[in-house]
Amino acid sequence: MRNILIIGAGKSCSYLIKYLLDNSKTEKLHITIGDLNVDNAKKLVGDHPNTDVIHLDVFNAESRIAAVKKADIVVSMLPARFHIEVAKDCITYKKNMVTASYVSPEMEALDTDAKANNLIFMNEIGVDPGIDHMSAMHVIDRIRDKGGKMILFESFTGGLVAPESDNNLWNYKFTWNPRNVVVAGQGGAAKFLQENQFKYIPYNRLFRRTEFLDVEGYGRFEGYANRDSLKYQQVYGLDHIKTLYRGTMRRVGFSRAWNVFVQLGMTDDSYTIDDSINMSYRDFVNSFLPYSPTDSVELKFRHALKIDQDDIVWEKFLELDIFNPKKMVDLDKGTPAQILQKILMDSWTLSPDDKDMIVMYHKFGYELNGKKHQIDSTMVTLGKDQTYTAMAKTVGLPVAIATLAILNGKIKTPGVQIPITKEVYTPILKELEAYDIIFKEYEVPYLGYNPLNL
């Protein structure tokens, strides 16, 4: 039997574990799952014979090293900041490694050692990053192979609620880490390229600069810019591209409403609110508004944000019950962002029968034989239930498929890497189609951002 060690068994692991278990007999696999809390792992594996579930503390070097030494390949599904200790063990004991996380500087620094030991350290092989890389490079390489020159690339991804579970005015629920949603876009201006010009959107304007996207069968979405769209310019080989933009997808109207929280300062995570433990939701909102001996909190809120009482945006805030004087914050020394997250979780937590949805949208503009062309590519995947979610599917399946491909010698190139080569993305994208993760391509007119300059 060949031993696969999975460290971490959180929400993204259901499809990863199922895929490996389904293939364990024919591929002669034994899967060991290590976590601080073994309950979720035990639930996922049931009484499957080719598994072990062990208590594993990644900070306990002795038990971590013992587990790594027994493995033929290691899959780390820990939070990104914890991968590095596992990665160092994999260098020492000559084990290949797979993660879904962004390549950190510390991980990148292991590239020389990984190559010297002929080891594959595959990173960014989830959904975003992951499927976005593979699906983008699949089309970009095809355009280049026929002599085309890339002039525009835009890429958007959204983790959203499935249409049948979309029952609030925000058209949104938390399908992943709520904290990441609340603090999204902070830490510097969003930067991207538009028609050969560097563009910057400061955080206070981010949610008012959106782009519309129409997905067949699913209607209209909006996209706002990610913080650094230029991060992959060199990696993708797009050094001379005119437009490069990466963004996050939401339903239309979400960003305009979210901008109210940004303007008031409710998404700030840099300081704590005094006596927040005794605050009501109404007190929290009022703490960001001017004092008035006569005006209500609602009136001050609308006046400060210039919201008319018949504006649909106003209905969104009423739905969240943020003016309730009886609901308590119940957080000691909470930051505004932490308190806002607590309030939103009342309304945006998935119900037991809710399903999630992953939406991805790429735009490829290119020149070929003196003419400009554009391909739009979309992918929508729906979750089954609260265990087998669309997020777990699109994160876990690429990780699992890559793990088995490395184990079987189908992926051979060593080093710290991401899935942007044909050797990696071609078989993985093909296999993902069997799981209904399929990209639909459309030839559309190329307009760029200057339709008069065709």
Side-chain angles (χ1 to χ4, degrees), residues 121-166:
F121 278 21
M122 183 65 67
N123 302 268
E124 302 189 20
I125 186 82
V127 56
D128 179 1
I131 292 175
D132 58 341
H133 293 327
M134 295 187 286
S135 54
M137 290 308 300
H138 173 68
V139 177
I140 291 170
D141 282 342
R142 202 172 75 221
I143 289 168
R144 286 178 181 143
D145 288 347
K146 64 181 181 181
K149 176 190 172 188
M150 288 291 298
I151 54 176
L152 175 146
F153 175 62
E154 295 189 30
S155 178
F156 303 85
T157 306
L160 298 158
V161 65
E164 61 262 45
S165 304
D166 186 351

Side-chain angles (χ1 to χ4, degrees), residues 177-371:
N177 188 339
R179 176 176 168 77
N180 290 351
V181 176
V182 174
V183 300
Q186 298 183 43
K191 62 178 179 178
F192 52 97
L193 265 175
Q194 229 166 19
E195 295 295 323
N196 274 335
Q197 294 184 14
F198 288 103
K199 295 291 185 181
Y200 301 88
I201 308 177
Y203 177 62
N204 69 311
R205 294 294 302 154
L206 182 63
F207 296 95
R208 296 309 297 129
R209 294 264 294 275
T210 55
E211 183 170 327
F212 287 145
L213 303 157
D214 292 295
V215 178
E216 185 180 19
Y218 293 90
R220 177 161 280 196
F221 298 81
E222 64 187 17
Y224 65 84
N226 289 353
R227 203 165 67 200
D228 186 3
S229 291
L230 308 184
K231 182 178 179 181
Y232 294 103
Q233 184 174 11
Q234 192 173 3
V235 174
Y236 284 13
L238 300 174
D239 293 347
H240 303 293
I241 202 159
K242 293 180 178 180
T243 296
L244 179 57
Y245 182 107
R246 289 167 60 89
T248 298
M249 293 174 76
R250 295 285 183 260
R251 284 294 189 181
V252 176
F254 177 93
S255 296
R256 181 183 164 214
W258 186 262
N259 187 57
V260 169
F261 292 138
V262 174
Q263 297 308 313
L264 284 176
M266 290 183 177
T267 61
D268 198 323
D269 201 42
S270 65
Y271 67 94
T272 59
I273 299 283
D274 292 323
D275 200 33
S276 59
I277 191 79
N278 293 313
M279 268 188 169
S280 67
Y281 288 7
R282 187 179 186 85
D283 293 332
F284 173 65
V285 174
N286 196 26
S287 67
F288 293 94
L289 299 170
Y291 172 78
S292 170
T294 54
D295 293 346
S296 67
V297 177
E298 290 87 346
L299 193 60
K300 290 191 295 182
F301 187 94
R302 288 213 315 266
H303 179 73
L305 281 309
K306 299 179 174 59
I307 300 172
D308 293 329
Q309 64 181 7
D310 59 353
D311 192 325
I312 185 61
V313 169
W314 177 238
E315 296 295 325
K316 286 180 166 70
F317 295 111
L318 291 180
E319 183 183 70
L320 293 176
D321 207 18
I322 62 174
F323 302 107
N324 193 321
K326 294 180 180 177
K327 285 187 177 178
M328 302 304 291
V329 166
D330 206 27
L331 287 174
D332 190 26
K333 296 180 181 175
T335 69
Q338 289 169 339
I339 296 169
L340 178 60
Q341 177 184 325
K342 162 82 161 43
I343 292 171
L344 295 176
M345 287 178 73
D346 288 353
S347 301
W348 292 358
T349 297
L350 292 169
S351 301
D353 56 349
D354 277 344
K355 298 176 183 177
D356 69 330
M357 170 173 74
I358 297 291
V359 188
M360 197 171 286
Y361 197 121
H362 299 310
K363 297 181 182 184
F364 307 89
Y366 64 99
E367 288 180 345
L368 181 64
N369 301 325
K371 292 184 179 178

